Amino acid sequence: MPIVDVNGTTLYYEISGSGLPIVFIHDYSTSHHLFEPQAEYFSKRAKVIVYDLRGNGLSGKMNVEIGRILDTQVEDLKALLDKLDVEKIVIVACSTGAILAQKFAYLFPERVITMIWVDSYFQGDYSASGSKLKEALQFCAWISHYLPAEMFIKPLRITYHRWLLAYHILRKELMHKRTTEWIKQRMALKYSDGYGFALRLQIPVLIVSGNHNERVLEQVKKTAAKYPKAHLAIIENAMYPSHLCQPQLFNRLLLDYLKDQQCFQQELPG
């Protein structure tokens, strides 16, 4: 298996194709499998890099304090790119993975061509403590993830009965969850300041969301309105993860966006 040693842990990664480097960053609690349809599609048109964040998938343990998780994962990405001799990248990040992408782009803007965020939005309570009751309820919700994964399969199947590809991949992720590491990463979000560094970026970003979850869609719209160089795209009949609910539509959308941004050196097949 392609494993690289970085910063006191190991990262699992896969690389395929050639040309424009596109790095796909999954959200917390999942793995590189979250982008299987995109990896297959874009490996025929670009250099695709998928990997598991530390504490996720096949990568090593977190091994850092909660307040250092996000910074360390940013350092991990830079170390991985250095080892692969990849200088500038396109980043496609899903949900909470976009927080990592934003900070990487803020610290190393010269290495990012453009970014695409999928079902991601700024959330005010990432860094706010909130009420005691809210924190207690949140803690109880986190602890419930220690229950057997089999208990969540039926609700998952009901939720994603329209989108079987999304269901099968999310089911696989559920069966291999790393609950303690997931909780640590969720806690780390409280230390992040998404607005603070993202709003100062001058890197174009495409923000994508499905239309099926109105609450999430409204938050995504608010984020797109505040980001300096954002383009918003809404995918019909989709919810998180939109790129798995409608993979063909998403792939075409992403390809067209990258062409519009003149990311490719030559014309590509559709």
Side-chain angles (χ1 to χ4, degrees):
M1 295 192 302
I3 296 286
V4 62
D5 294 317
V6 297
N7 298 336
T9 193
T10 57
L11 296 182
Y12 175 86
Y13 72 95
E14 295 180 2
I15 185 168
S16 56
S18 61
L20 174 71
I22 306 177
V23 176
F24 291 89
I25 302 177
H26 62 84
D27 63 350
Y28 296 154
S29 82
T30 61
S31 73
H32 70 281
H33 290 297
L34 197 69
F35 287 104
E36 285 181 359
Q38 285 67 48
E40 179 181 359
Y41 180 84
F42 282 97
S43 64
K44 301 178 179 67
R45 299 161 174 81
K47 177 184 291 185
V48 169
I49 302 170
V50 295
Y51 76 108
D52 293 339
L53 304 178
R54 67 164 62 207
N56 298 268
L58 298 174
S59 289
K61 293 182 178 180
M62 203 75 66
N63 289 339
V64 292
E65 296 178 357
I66 290 173
R68 278 280 302 155
I69 287 176
L70 182 60
D71 288 337
T72 304
Q73 289 175 331
V74 168
E75 294 163 4
D76 291 346
L77 176 56
K78 180 178 183 299
L80 175 62
L81 295 177
D82 290 344
K83 287 180 179 289
L84 296 178
D85 197 26
V86 174
E87 186 61 31
K88 300 193 70 169
I89 60 174
V90 170
I91 297 180
V92 181
C94 180
S95 188
T96 52
I99 305 297
L100 166 61
Q102 292 161 23
K103 190 154 194 178
F104 181 87
Y106 172 70
L107 293 174
F108 309 105
E110 73 283 355
R111 303 195 70 164
V112 180
I113 301 168
T114 187
M115 293 189 291
I116 297 87
W117 305 340
V118 188
D119 303 315
S120 179
Y121 55 89
F122 293 122
Q123 187 166 299
D125 62 359
Y126 274 160
S127 57
S129 59
S131 68
K132 295 294 183 180
L133 176 59
K134 183 176 181 180
E135 290 187 353
L137 292 174
Q138 185 179 63
F139 180 75
C140 291
W142 290 350
I143 293 299
S144 71
H145 285 266
Y146 283 105
L147 295 171
E150 289 78 8
M151 295 181 61
F152 299 96
I153 290 178
K154 185 176 180 179
L156 185 71
R157 182 67 174 84
I158 294 173
T159 301
Y160 289 93
H161 70 279
R162 303 183 187 182
W163 310 290
L164 293 182
L165 174 64
Y167 164 72
H168 287 297
I169 290 180
L170 292 177
R171 183 183 187 278
K172 179 166 55 178
E173 299 288 10
L174 178 64
M175 297 303 294
H176 296 90
K177 64 180 179 179
R178 295 168 62 174
T179 302
T180 300
E181 305 282 46
W182 176 81
I183 290 176
K184 289 179 180 178
Q185 290 171 104
R186 296 299 301 185
M187 293 177 67
L189 290 177
K190 291 181 174 292
Y191 294 89
S192 68
D193 179 17
Y195 280 121
F197 48 77
L199 295 180
R200 292 194 293 270
L201 289 175
Q202 294 302 310
I203 297 171
V205 58
L206 174 66
I207 301 178
V208 181
S209 180
N211 71 332
H212 199 71
N213 188 319
E214 293 184 3
R215 184 188 65 83
V216 171
L217 181 57
E218 285 305 309
Q219 293 296 326
V220 170
K221 287 180 177 179
K222 290 179 181 179
T223 297
K226 292 183 178 181
Y227 193 81
K229 291 192 173 184
H231 303 272
L232 175 64
I234 300 172
I235 298 180
E236 298 294 321
N237 189 27
M239 60 183 292
Y240 165 89
S242 301
H243 64 283
L244 291 183
C245 290
Q246 299 292 344
Q248 293 181 336
L249 289 177
F250 176 83
N251 291 347
R252 185 71 233 184
L253 175 68
L254 176 54
L255 182 63
D256 289 344
Y257 172 76
L258 295 178
K259 287 181 177 180
D260 289 343
Q261 293 294 314
Q262 299 182 335
C263 295
F264 296 105
Q265 299 299 316
Q266 58 187 15
E267 186 64 25
L268 298 175

